[in-house]
Amino acid sequence: MKIPKIFVACTILLGTCQAFQNALPLQHGRVGFFGPANLDTSFVKNRRQKEDKYITPLFIRASSDSEDGDVYTIQILMSDTGGGHRASANALRDAFDVLYPGKIQCDIVDIFTDYAPIWPLNDVVALYKIMAKYPITWAMLYYSGANPFGLWMGKTILELTCFDAFKKCLNRPSGNTGKRADMVVSVHPLCQDVPLMALADLDTNGATRDVSARKTAFCTVVTDLGGAHPTWFNPGVSKCFVPSDVLRQAAKDRMLQDSQLIQHGLPIRRGFWSSNASGQPKSREILRQELGIDPSLPTALVVGGGDGMGGLVSIAEALGEKLESDQKKSSQLVVVCGNNQQAKQALEGKSWGSGVSVHVKGFVENMDEWMRASDVLVTKAGPGTIAEASICGLPCLMFSYLPGQEAGNIPYVEEAGFGKYSGQPDNIASTVSGWLKSPEMLKNMQQSALDAARPEATLDIARDLAAIVFATESKKREKVAVLRR
């Protein structure tokens, strides 16, 4: 199938125009070519009361002692374009292990890296890292694929190039059962359309790609928060798990029905769950002692994500100098550089003033402890980090975001009352310093963060997914038993 060049050119041009418009300073309610550039987030007011009406028991609540001894398999589709997708997949796997030990086996697949047959689709992880460093390139791609023609073109290209490869992925044995997965779960925006068609093809022995013919359960777990690309939402899924009211509406705008939508929150790493085997969380003072920092000093934590992106060095330097210069008493700054060794070396080699104690770290596995030990978080506007910070009651100063899906995270946090956005190191430094000098303001922001938190979301999502796979497979086995009689 040959796609007319003029259509491709128009799509890229429109996406570029929208990208440049959205690269302008962030303004709530700004309108672009294809509708609101930032979705209305007035939903944040009384958010807990509004969302609780959607947190209802599913048609079945799975129980590990209510089922037989069979093992169920779930294939989780993702891509390492950013750390959040794999982190969400791992979080769901961990939740299944805790709730149903030995009963559910997960097969986590980076479907593009492992199965896409051609470049650039099989190299999207490396390309994503480049575009994340130059956000305008990401914006051009994001918005050119978010209009109706771009959506059609993207789906067509993926079907033409990846259908057979994705079908092979879905048909591979999962766990140690020797058969393909009992359920498929997507935690990535590009893992809906073509995988659904491939699954329908498998379920009908090649008779059709019509998604309505699919028999195997397929669920989407959206891992964005205040905004999301339209490709997340396909009305052919069994269920779609959304973390917020704004994405619930985005799903309905894409023709998903209320009966398909379940709203709990974002799946987050195990250390942030409220239900942990370790019991009650440790106090901030004890955590600081264990982490080797002063238990008594006001503490600002600066993180740049797993790859340490977003001008980390200049922000840390400005904040360290500000804290050293205008605090009446000493304070401390912790900078987590992730995999950015260049930033780590630069900060470790800097001479800091006597009024601020600075601790520079690389990649850490215990981010939950560092967050709970801190008073303020300075971070890029990633959805997972924001969700984790709210669970820790941690005010957020956001300094960068990817155009498109992360832009909506800014008003999400600001209107919830537990953070601000600034891309200027000096403004970041003065804002954080002001927070630390105002205990009453800090206390109010901490409470607002806790009000927005959903610490049980991962376990709730896992329970509902387990209920679906248990119920679906039980019906299949009942049919098989009837046919054998």
Side-chain angles (χ1 to χ4, degrees):
M1 177 180 179
K2 188 174 182 181
I3 300 173
K5 293 181 180 179
I6 186 62
F7 288 167
V8 177
C10 289
T11 300
I12 295 174
L13 178 61
L14 289 174
T16 302
C17 293
Q18 183 75 353
F20 276 105
Q21 177 169 340
N22 284 273
L24 296 172
L26 194 66
Q27 300 289 330
H28 301 341
R30 183 179 61 235
V31 177
F33 285 105
F34 312 115
N38 295 307
L39 295 173
D40 179 17
T41 54
S42 58
F43 68 91
V44 178
K45 296 180 180 179
N46 300 317
R47 180 171 174 269
R48 180 175 291 276
Q49 289 84 352
K50 289 180 66 179
E51 288 189 355
D52 280 348
K53 65 183 179 182
Y54 300 125
I55 304 176
T56 56
L58 239 183
F59 39 88
I60 297 175
R61 273 291 177 181
S63 171
S64 58
D65 58 6
S66 67
E67 303 290 337
D68 56 31
D70 290 341
V71 173
Y72 299 83
T73 55
I74 297 178
Q75 187 177 70
I76 304 180
L77 304 180
M78 47 74 65
S79 179
D80 281 311
T81 48
H85 302 297
R86 185 173 292 275
S88 295
N90 289 341
L92 291 173
R93 178 203 59 203
D94 292 345
F96 291 132
D97 289 344
V98 168
L99 295 169
Y100 315 104
K103 197 167 190 63
I104 295 178
Q105 296 180 0
C106 287
D107 177 21
I108 300 174
V109 189
D110 185 335
I111 193 170
F112 284 92
T113 300
D114 295 345
Y115 283 91
I118 61 172
W119 190 89
L121 297 174
N122 55 10
D123 201 23
V124 292
V125 176
L127 293 173
Y128 173 84
K129 290 181 179 180
I130 294 172
M131 288 187 287
K133 291 181 180 179
Y134 305 98
I136 191 64
T137 62
W138 173 257
M140 290 169 63
L141 178 66
Y142 183 95
Y143 290 109
S144 64
N147 60 80
F149 179 74
L151 289 167
W152 172 83
M153 187 175 72
K155 179 179 178 180
T156 300
I157 290 173
L158 279 182
E159 183 178 6
L160 289 172
T161 58
C162 293
F163 179 85
D164 290 333
F166 286 4
K167 179 180 173 181
K168 180 180 179 182
C169 172
L170 293 167
N171 199 36
R172 82 183 197 178
S174 291
N176 58 14
T177 62
K179 61 184 180 68
R180 66 183 174 94
D182 299 315
M183 170 191 277
V184 178
V185 173
S186 166
V187 293
H188 193 276
L190 296 182
C191 292
Q192 273 66 235
D193 295 345
V194 176
L196 277 166
M197 290 189 289
L199 200 58
D201 186 89
L202 286 170
D203 285 345
T204 61
N205 295 316
T208 181
R209 298 183 183 184
D210 185 349
V211 173
S212 65
R214 173 186 54 80
K215 299 181 179 66
T216 302
F218 186 109
C219 295
T220 297
V221 178
V222 180
T223 60
D224 284 316
L225 186 59
H229 198 273
T231 50
W232 271 114
F233 308 111
N234 188 306
V237 300
S238 305
K239 297 289 179 180
C240 180
F241 292 80
V242 293
S244 61
D245 284 351
V246 69
L247 294 196
R248 186 182 187 91
Q249 185 58 51
K252 293 173 71 173
D253 291 343
R254 292 282 291 164
M255 306 307 293
L256 275 82
Q257 303 301 309
D258 276 318
S259 60
Q260 292 177 283
L261 301 175
I262 302 174
Q263 187 170 332
H264 292 307
L266 279 179
I268 42 89
R269 291 173 286 184
R270 186 171 179 175
F272 294 92
W273 302 351
S274 63
S275 301
N276 279 308
S278 57
Q280 292 298 318
K282 298 176 183 177
S283 70
R284 181 173 293 167
E285 290 72 23
I286 291 175
L287 279 173
R288 289 177 179 177
Q289 288 177 347
E290 293 180 351
L291 293 170
I293 61 177
D294 194 307
S296 62
L297 294 181
T299 304
L301 174 64
V302 181
V303 300
D307 295 311
M309 297 177 180
L312 200 62
V313 173
S314 58
I315 291 168
E317 288 178 340
L319 182 54
E321 292 169 2
K322 180 66 175 176
L323 294 177
E324 196 276 334
S325 67
D326 69 357
Q327 290 289 336
K328 294 181 179 179
K329 62 178 181 177
S330 297
S331 56
Q332 62 191 348
L333 174 64
V334 178
V335 186
V336 178
C337 300
N339 294 318
N340 191 333
Q341 289 300 314
Q342 186 176 0
K344 184 173 183 290
Q345 292 171 5
L347 293 172
E348 286 177 333
K350 181 177 174 58
S351 296
W352 304 90
S354 59
V356 60
S357 176
V358 179
H359 307 265
V360 180
K361 304 293 178 180
F363 188 87
V364 300
E365 297 285 352
N366 58 337
M367 185 57 73
D368 57 307
E369 294 180 342
W370 285 107
M371 282 193 183
R372 289 191 169 101
S374 302
D375 297 294
V376 172
L377 176 67
V378 181
T379 179
K380 69 185 289 289
T385 302
I386 290 170
E388 292 168 351
S390 68
I391 290 171
C392 297
L394 198 56
C396 297
L397 195 295
M398 298 162 289
F399 58 79
S400 70
Y401 63 94
L402 274 180
Q405 76 273 21
E406 288 185 355
N409 296 342
I410 306 299
Y412 179 93
V413 171
E414 290 184 343
E415 293 182 26
F418 67 100
K420 296 289 184 183
Y421 169 81
S422 174
Q424 301 300 317
D426 290 343
N427 290 340
I428 293 169
S430 61
T431 301
V432 171
S433 175
W435 290 352
L436 292 176
K437 288 189 291 187
S438 176
E440 187 65 26
M441 179 189 297
L442 208 57
K443 182 179 178 181
N444 291 337
M445 293 178 71
Q446 289 167 346
Q447 186 58 54
S448 294
L450 292 172
D451 289 342
R454 293 292 178 267
E456 293 288 342
T458 309
L459 295 171
D460 287 338
I461 293 169
R463 289 188 187 99
D464 287 349
L465 289 173
I468 295 169
V469 73
F470 290 163
T472 302
E473 288 305 300
S474 176
K475 291 178 181 178
K476 287 182 181 178
R477 291 166 192 180
E478 287 175 3
K479 290 180 180 179
V480 170
V482 169
L483 292 173
R484 287 177 177 173
R485 290 174 185 169

